[in-house]
Amino acid sequence: MAETINISYYKPSDELNIILDEPRDSVLSEISDEIYLRLDPKTNEVLGLTILNFEERLKTKSQTIPISGHFMLPKRTQELIGIM
């Protein structure tokens, strides 16, 4: 399971990238119009997501991304905010 989620936006190409853990070599697989999963080329593990024309998409309508996930806080963070 990913320990961190890194989000970056590159304005010149209007591209949003979401990378799980540290960036590493990946292949892209289009799962919807201009929405790509980043996959490990050997294991097909999901490494992230790339959305093209991101700002344009937000202007036209709200977007749904056809994936599901599980998020949880590290134990130390849970302890710090008192939810354990």
Side-chain angles (χ1 to χ4, degrees):
M1 182 183 305
E3 294 290 324
T4 60
I5 299 174
N6 299 290
I7 300 171
S8 63
Y9 176 71
Y10 187 64
K11 189 163 184 71
S13 61
D14 193 15
E15 178 180 314
L16 179 76
N17 288 292
I18 302 168
I19 306 296
L20 305 176
D21 290 327
E22 294 300 316
R24 53 186 171 157
D25 288 341
S26 61
V27 295
L28 297 178
S29 178
E30 190 169 22
I31 59 171
S32 186
D33 187 35
E34 297 184 324
I35 299 176
Y36 297 86
L37 277 182
R38 293 177 169 274
L39 301 170
D40 182 294
K42 294 179 183 167
T43 66
N44 284 330
E45 173 189 4
V46 175
L47 304 176
L49 183 72
T50 295
I51 303 172
L52 302 179
N53 297 309
F54 181 72
E55 196 172 321
E56 259 326 290
R57 289 172 180 275
L58 292 179
K59 289 179 186 175
T60 58
K61 61 180 178 176
S62 63
Q63 296 291 308
T64 301
I65 299 170
I67 61 172
S68 63
H70 176 79
F71 296 92
M72 61 186 278
L73 294 171
K75 286 183 181 181
R76 178 72 182 132
T77 304
Q78 291 179 40
E79 291 169 356
L80 287 172
I81 62 175
I83 62 170
M84 278 196 75

